[in-house]
Amino acid sequence: MTDTPGPDEAAPAEQIGLGAPEAAAPASAHPRNARSWAHKVDRLQPDLREGVRGTNVAGRRLAGPVQGFGKMWQKTYRMNAGPGIAPAEAISIWRKHFSEFWPAGNRFSTPITNITPGDVALLDLRIGGGVKLSTGVFVLYADAESFTLMTPQGHLFAGWITFSAARDGEDTIVQAQALFRAGDPLYELAMPIMHRREDQFWLATLTALGERLGAADPEVEISRTCVDSRRQWRYARNIWHNSAIRSLLQAAADRRKRGNKSGTGQGGTGKDDKS
Amino acid sequence: MPGTCEATTRAMSGAAVIELRGEVDGAAARVLADAYEHAVTADGVATTVVLDFTAVDYINSTGIALIVSVLAKARAERRKVVACGLSAHYREIFDITRLSDYIELFPDLDRAVSQLTGPAA
């Protein structure tokens, strides 16, 4: 509802149903979802974990859609899971088994088996040519019917993605909605490819999730909106943190190290053998 | 409970003020978009949009995304967005999400408007 008094007419507090003391103090001092939000962190400090390379995250700041370089996009992937599952149950399964629905070749490692506000998940993402991009995500928000992941500096995208479920009539609709910019000019150049890959990724993920939730033939709808077509040149220097470049350099350094070791008869397997 | 967001718009000393009430979540998308259009159309010369959260008691992550969309739209139209009336908890959320890098925060509407229209503005 919108209502517009004339210019410079300040509506009194009573007009919007507040007494003077309430009007002076924010109503949201102790919101009921306070525990659903992560606490503030200046820089990410994840523990190393088995199964992922774990680089390009420690010491990084979080980067939302306003800190990215490229055009701002909102992308929504929706899947009808049918009437047989409640939204909270769908989200509970998704949070507990998040990475199991990912396409093969990508890895996601959290400190525990659920997705909890404040967690830092480490990722190895397949980006083609046998290369894996190592980065992470921060669990910004999680409640019974939604959870949100936010990216650190150097990630392909600067932004967040919210996973949610809600009733639409008798059916439960599950969706992933991302709001992001390409993190730096190099990623922005690659956006046509990244859009396609991201669509394939979430299409496969939501299809696998739908099958787990009991949907007979899950179909995924994709929509894409350009929220801001301007590029933010002040963030061009984000390229310093570019995780793709760093992952390539790290993989090359690891291969060289292994080569040196085998050359001197030390042998051994590097941490990157899995990638 | 979704769908309980309401908005009132008004012009105040050259700023377009959007007073939000209730819950800012996914169901608030239409309310927020309409309020923004109403506010800037009613005062076509307003270069600043003030989002007043004093009467907001709940924001979830989808609500934060909606606020970013308003910010993007305002910036595309070369308007500044400021916020006021956020509780300590939601100020922290604006810090975590780094929205506070782009949206100046004021304790209340009076201070927001006086700062924006005062001699130093």
Side-chain angles (χ1 to χ4, degrees), chain A residues 23-79:
Chain A
S28 49
H30 298 289
R32 67 173 191 275
N33 67 339
R35 287 183 169 190
S36 298
W37 287 99
H39 290 295
K40 188 183 175 191
V41 290
D42 288 325
R43 292 183 185 275
L44 300 178
Q45 294 298 344
D47 301 322
L48 287 179
R49 283 166 221 148
E50 290 296 319
V52 287
R53 188 191 279 144
T55 54
N56 308 320
V57 179
R60 301 295 174 88
R61 297 187 70 193
L62 292 168
V66 290
Q67 281 81 31
F69 170 81
K71 296 177 179 179
M72 190 190 293
W73 295 95
Q74 180 174 283
K75 294 176 78 171
T76 306
Y77 307 88
R78 283 167 58 92
M79 184 267 299

Side-chain angles (χ1 to χ4, degrees), chain A residues 59-208:
Chain A
R60 301 295 174 88
R61 297 187 70 193
L62 292 168
V66 290
Q67 281 81 31
F69 170 81
K71 296 177 179 179
M72 190 190 293
W73 295 95
Q74 180 174 283
K75 294 176 78 171
T76 306
Y77 307 88
R78 283 167 58 92
M79 184 267 299
N80 187 337
I85 189 152
E89 195 183 348
I91 289 300
S92 173
I93 290 170
W94 206 354
R95 280 173 66 176
K96 278 185 191 145
H97 305 281
F98 188 68
S99 63
E100 293 172 27
F101 306 117
W102 281 18
N106 300 285
R107 289 182 178 170
F108 178 97
S109 173
T110 54
I112 49 178
T113 53
N114 209 336
I115 286 180
T116 306
D119 282 353
V120 179
L122 301 177
L123 317 178
D124 281 344
L125 301 172
R126 197 174 54 184
I127 56 173
V131 177
K132 285 194 176 174
L133 183 153
S134 296
T135 181
V137 286
F138 177 77
V139 182
L140 176 67
Y141 183 91
D143 66 19
E145 296 185 354
S146 68
F147 58 101
T148 298
L149 307 179
M150 186 172 179
T151 56
Q153 292 171 315
H155 194 284
L156 294 84
F157 304 127
W160 50 69
I161 183 163
T162 296
F163 306 91
S164 61
R167 282 285 188 201
D168 184 3
E170 296 200 339
D171 293 343
T172 289
I173 306 296
V174 174
Q175 81 170 27
Q177 185 172 66
L179 184 70
F180 64 94
R181 298 176 188 271
D184 64 42
L186 193 63
Y187 288 141
E188 179 72 351
L189 274 175
M191 270 311 282
I193 300 166
M194 282 170 30
H195 273 311
R196 204 164 51 241
R197 283 188 176 272
E198 196 197 21
D199 290 350
Q200 289 166 351
F201 185 95
W202 291 115
L203 183 72
T205 298
L206 282 176
T207 302

Side-chain angles (χ1 to χ4, degrees), chain A residues 37, chain B residues 24-26 28 32 53 59-68 99:
Chain A
W37 287 99
Chain B
V24 181
D25 57 16
L32 207 51
F53 291 93
I59 307 174
N60 69 7
S61 57
T62 310
I64 291 287
L66 294 178
I67 295 163
V68 173
L99 274 179

Side-chain angles (χ1 to χ4, degrees), chain B residues 67-91:
Chain B
I67 295 163
V68 173
S69 300
V70 169
L71 176 65
K73 191 165 176 52
R75 291 187 65 209
E77 296 168 357
R78 303 198 180 283
R79 291 190 172 92
K80 180 180 180 178
V81 177
V82 304
C84 64
L86 286 161
S87 68
H89 172 73
Y90 285 122
R91 277 199 302 275

Side-chain angles (χ1 to χ4, degrees), chain A residues 1 3-4 10-11 27-28 148 232, chain B residues 7 9-10 38 54 61 75 87:
Chain A
M1 181 194 78
D3 175 29
T4 311
S28 49
T148 298
Q232 304 197 116
Chain B
T9 65
R10 57 177 161 162
H38 217 273
T54 304
S61 57
R75 291 187 65 209
S87 68

